[in-house]
Amino acid sequence: MAYPVPIARKNLFHDRVRFIITLVGISFSVVLILVQVGVYLGMMYNTSSIIEHTDADIWITARNNRNFDFSMPFPEHRENLARAVPGAARTKKLILVWSLMKIKGGGSENVEMVGFDPESGIGGPWEMLQGAVGDVKFHRGVIVDESSTGKLGALAIGDYREVVNKKVRVVGICRGARRITTAPVLFTSYRTAQELNPWIDRQTVFVLVKAVPGADIAELRGRLARVMNLEDVYTRQQFINATRSYWTFSTGMGIAFGFTILMGIVVGAVIVSQTIYSATIEHLREFGTLKALGAENRMIYGIILQQALISGVLGFAIGLAINFAVVRAYSSTGQAIIQPWQLFAADFLITQLTCVAASLISVRKAMQVDPMEVFRA
Amino acid sequence: MSDETLSVVGVAKIYGGDGLSVPAVREATFACRSGTVTAIMGPSGSGKTTILSILGLLLKPTSGRVVLMGKDVTSLDERELPPLRRASIGFIFQSFNLFSSLTVLENVLVALQLQKVAKANAMGLAEAALTRVDLVKRANFYPRDLSGGEKQRVSIARAIASDAPIILADEPTANLDSKTGLKIIDLLYNLAEERRKTVVVVSHDLRLKEHVNRVLWMEDGVIHED
Ligand SMILES: Nc1ncnc2c1ncn2[C@@H]1O[C@H](COP(=O)(O)OP(=O)(O)O)[C@@H](O)[C@H]1O
Ligand SMILES: [Mg+2]
């Protein structure tokens, strides 16, 4: 027999149906928040994965370009201006161009073709499953991401495909290069990208600048911006942020995710406050009795608060377990879902705060109980 | 004089205040002694529960004084009252007011943990209290599985476990059949006698008056002795 009698726990476990409803509500909210944020962060990672895996400190783009995926080209000779700026160790050109690939059984798919410098590999794939990055030097060689097979069909090294009426040859399979646009990524050499897409002849889409070691990147960006007066100049982080904020705010994606996450919080809060409140109302006479027997107010706060926190912690634990099952199932489809520890910490706090806030309404009710209530029949 | 454990002097209670005011108790003066059962009897609405709440330090009188163990406790504030109630007063209610999610034994233990009785003593005291009301065999039952009489005996056990000198009971027999009700009153009577408890029973049930030491009559807020 436990002594002191754990009144809060016994109250919770005594009314099992209500307790289960509370736990379902909290864990539902936890799963919704964790999964939605995880999927969102996974998508955000996709938007910037190529930028993050490219060895460059500064990204130069056409003027008023707002993100990685939809960029206008500009004359490639402008690279020379950038290269001459003090503090720039080296520059590389990188092309991102939308193109069309024919599918085996007929029809075609939009692809995002990335044309990089095959000598340095800068801007190219970073995790090869088959073949080598430099193989794009072979005539019209392309590297495709393993995730592309859904749209492009099965692909193997040596396969030929047609891009805008010209044959390309698959020379490698890479991993991790997914675009949020859902278009398959086709890595190829800078020259091949221009050749397959004649409208960007003698043009580049990005100029990538590597700073000399120890250089102040912000200052270098400023110097480059003065010289590259027809283009926009971003530090790497600025370009990542610009791309992410484009997808978050200019596409409605942020609102969609934000709304779902908010719904998770609201649903959790409503269910928790409802069940805790109704449990308090039901035990109101018992709280009054405790007071008559000489319990201090703080003991009664304590019981209600404990009920909220036990529900909160257990609900979070269940939600966490379900979350990992969902993540596992989701990841097996090849989608990225990113959940840093800060997400868990924040959601744990949100859940407990919601529970405590929900219980405060009940505490108020319990404190207002008329002392003579205990004598009512 | 020393066995006058609880008394009221010129106590009045008016509900409401300005405008609509209900005088529930008028100028009540009486003392309750240890070792005796005092019954306060009268029709419904006469002010019995109000005077019991004042005796139990749950309600402040509009005027007059409450004296507990020789000490004027009328003007003690909200923070000083709970320890006093814990140490001195056990309550018994018409609707039993047991904790529905706790077992019989746990219901009794709660009264002891409120008094911060150490774990080593608590179990023995609770079992002794349950033995006194003949409910040891129901120790692990939940209130919903008890009869009315058993529930009221649990609440008596809860009231005597911590050895509070005063027991206040509001209509303790109203939810019981008459035979069970009288058994409860007799139990309280025996407790008063054998443990020198001060028992105050409020009731509108006239049959009780043969089973108590003393009867105070109450009508329209006015108390008078036989
Ligand atoms: N909280 C209250 N506010 C206003 N009037 C009340 C309150 N409680 C009781 N009364 C009134 O005071 C009178 C005495 O009530 P009560 O002490 O409950 O009587 P009894 O217990 O004898 O039935 C009744 O008229 C009742 O309506
Ligand atoms: Mg009454």
Side-chain angles (χ1 to χ4, degrees):
Chain A
M1 175 89 23
Y3 183 86
V5 179
I7 301 175
R9 182 158 62 77
K10 293 223 59 166
N11 278 351
L12 283 178
F13 292 167
H14 192 254
D15 192 344
R16 254 172 240 144
V17 174
R18 197 199 329 263
F19 189 45
I20 289 168
I21 293 173
T22 312
L23 293 182
V24 167
I26 298 172
S27 50
F28 173 80
S29 153
V30 166
V31 172
L32 206 59
I33 293 170
L34 291 180
V35 170
Q36 286 294 304
V37 174
V39 169
Y40 171 77
L41 291 180
M43 287 185 163
M44 284 303 108
Y45 171 76
N46 283 345
T47 65
S48 59
S49 62
I50 293 182
I51 307 173
E52 289 186 42
H53 284 100
T54 296
D55 184 20
D57 300 310
I58 305 271
W59 286 66
I60 299 169
T61 75
R63 184 55 48 97
N64 296 329
N65 171 52
R66 293 158 71 198
N67 66 76
F68 179 86
D69 295 85
F70 308 115
S71 288
M72 290 298 289
F74 60 95
E76 60 183 15
H77 63 78
R78 301 280 294 171
E79 181 194 11
N80 300 328
L81 288 175
R83 187 180 299 135
V85 168
R90 61 157 165 71
T91 59
K92 291 286 172 202
K93 297 188 289 294
L94 185 72
I95 282 175
L96 183 279
V97 60
W98 284 77
S99 199
L100 269 183
M101 178 181 258
K102 268 195 187 149
I103 306 301
K104 251 201 176 136
S108 59
E109 278 286 352
N110 272 312
V111 293
E112 289 193 43
M113 187 173 281
V114 177
F116 65 97
D117 165 35
E119 300 298 337
S120 66
I122 291 169
W126 53 92
E127 186 181 353
M128 293 300 293
L129 296 178
Q130 294 173 43
V133 175
D135 292 350
V136 294
K137 280 185 281 187
F138 293 123
H139 184 60
R140 288 181 188 161
V142 298
I143 297 171
V144 292
D145 190 86
E146 59 169 349
S147 65
S148 308
T149 50
K151 284 197 165 189
L152 303 180
L155 286 162
I157 288 184
D159 284 359
Y160 284 92
R161 288 294 159 95
E162 224 174 83
V163 172
V164 218
N165 297 327
K166 291 179 188 124
K167 276 226 156 66
V168 297
R169 186 160 68 106
V170 175
V171 295
I173 311 283
C174 68
R175 169 175 285 172
R178 283 170 160 273
R179 302 309 304 156
I180 191 176
T181 60
T182 74
V185 175
L186 227 58
F187 287 103
T188 188
S189 73
Y190 182 78
R191 288 294 161 218
T192 306
Q194 284 179 330
E195 185 206 341
L196 293 172
N197 302 278
W199 68 280
I200 56 165
D201 189 29
R202 274 181 289 219
Q203 298 186 87
T204 186
V205 176
F206 307 109
V207 168
L208 312 178
V209 182
K210 180 81 183 166
V212 294
D216 182 325
I217 306 294
E219 270 176 25
L220 174 59
R221 195 208 73 85
R223 282 197 295 281
L224 281 163
R226 277 191 291 284
V227 174
M228 305 299 283
N229 54 0
L230 302 175
E231 289 83 13
D232 282 341
V233 183
Y234 294 91
T235 66
R236 164 197 167 92
Q237 194 57 49
Q238 283 171 341
F239 194 46
I240 289 172
N241 294 347
T243 298
R244 290 183 169 184
S245 105
Y246 170 84
W247 285 105
T248 301
F249 299 110
S250 304
T251 61
M253 205 175 92
I255 291 177
F257 275 97
F259 185 73
T260 317
I261 291 162
L262 193 69
M263 286 316 288
I265 295 174
V266 168
V267 165
V270 166
I271 293 181
V272 174
S273 56
Q274 268 307 106
T275 53
I276 291 179
Y277 186 74
S278 68
T280 308
I281 297 300
E282 212 159 278
H283 290 279
L284 215 49
R285 177 190 286 266
E286 296 180 9
F287 289 130
T289 304
L290 273 175
K291 276 168 89 169
L293 298 185
E296 327 266 353
N297 279 348
R298 98 183 110 74
M299 174 177 180
I300 295 172
Y301 295 139
I303 293 173
I304 296 175
L305 214 64
Q306 259 186 62
Q307 287 180 204
L309 288 176
I310 293 173
S311 307
V313 170
L314 260 176
F316 184 83
I318 296 169
L320 204 60
I322 298 173
N323 168 70
F324 286 127
V326 171
V327 166
R328 174 173 276 201
Y330 191 81
S331 303
S332 70
T333 70
Q335 304 288 333
I337 185 159
I338 295 178
Q339 298 178 320
W341 68 265
Q342 291 94 332
L343 169 62
F344 297 114
D347 192 36
F348 181 78
L349 270 180
I350 287 176
T351 307
Q352 305 318 315
L353 278 178
T354 313
C355 289
V356 169
S359 73
L360 288 182
I361 309 166
S362 302
V363 165
R364 268 192 51 161
K365 192 78 191 173
M367 289 304 116
Q368 284 164 357
V369 57
D370 176 1
M372 282 179 71
E373 182 69 36
V374 289
F375 294 120
R376 302 251 151 76
Chain B
M1 190 67 195
S2 65
D3 60 351
E4 285 189 1
T5 46
L6 183 58
S7 55
V8 288
V9 184
V11 153
K13 178 68 192 182
I14 301 171
Y15 287 113
D18 36 46
L20 260 164
S21 61
V22 182
V25 176
R26 309 167 200 250
E27 293 298 317
T29 300
F30 62 90
C32 307
R33 293 184 180 79
S34 63
T36 63
V37 180
T38 304
I40 301 174
M41 311 194 83
S44 179
S46 56
K48 305 184 297 296
T49 297
T50 304
I51 191 71
L52 195 76
S53 303
I54 291 170
L55 288 170
L57 313 181
L58 291 172
L59 192 66
K60 289 240 183 278
T62 311
S63 59
R65 293 186 294 125
V66 183
V67 181
L68 173 70
M69 317 296 250
K71 188 179 169 224
D72 187 338
V73 294
T74 322
S75 49
L76 292 185
D77 71 27
E78 286 304 322
R79 264 165 297 131
E80 296 168 287
L81 289 175
L84 212 54
R85 272 207 299 272
R86 289 200 289 268
S88 321
I89 303 169
F91 285 96
I92 294 167
F93 309 94
Q94 174 178 348
S95 332
F96 320 123
N97 291 8
L98 300 179
F99 305 110
S100 57
S101 14
L102 306 185
T103 63
V104 164
L105 178 58
E106 288 167 335
N107 263 279
V108 178
L109 285 171
V110 165
L112 295 166
Q113 84 191 39
L114 282 172
Q115 292 237 53
K116 297 170 181 73
V117 172
K119 185 174 186 171
N121 303 331
M123 205 60 68
L125 288 171
E127 266 162 21
L130 286 175
T131 306
R132 181 63 191 82
V133 299
D134 199 20
L135 271 180
V136 177
K137 58 188 181 303
R138 297 272 186 271
N140 293 317
F141 280 47
Y142 283 88
R144 61 161 184 267
D145 298 322
L146 301 178
S147 69
E150 287 173 327
K151 284 183 197 167
Q152 202 56 298
R153 272 146 64 203
V154 176
S155 77
I156 292 174
R158 184 170 68 182
I160 62 172
S162 58
D163 209 28
I166 297 161
I167 295 176
L168 303 180
D170 188 48
E171 308 274 6
T173 64
N175 284 6
L176 305 174
D177 63 74
S178 57
K179 199 168 141 236
T180 312
L182 289 179
K183 274 192 189 155
I184 291 293
I185 296 300
D186 289 340
L187 177 54
L188 289 172
Y189 184 90
N190 292 335
L191 282 169
E193 204 163 49
E194 74 196 41
R195 301 195 180 177
R196 306 295 300 162
K197 302 261 185 223
T198 305
V199 180
V200 181
V201 176
V202 152
S203 180
H204 65 274
D205 182 355
L206 294 179
R207 283 167 309 139
L208 261 57
K209 66 179 199 290
E210 314 299 337
H211 297 254
V212 302
N213 303 95
R214 176 188 177 212
V215 178
L216 297 173
W217 297 97
M218 192 159 198
E219 207 165 347
D220 286 335
V222 179
I223 287 192
H224 57 88
E225 203 139 354
D226 246 342

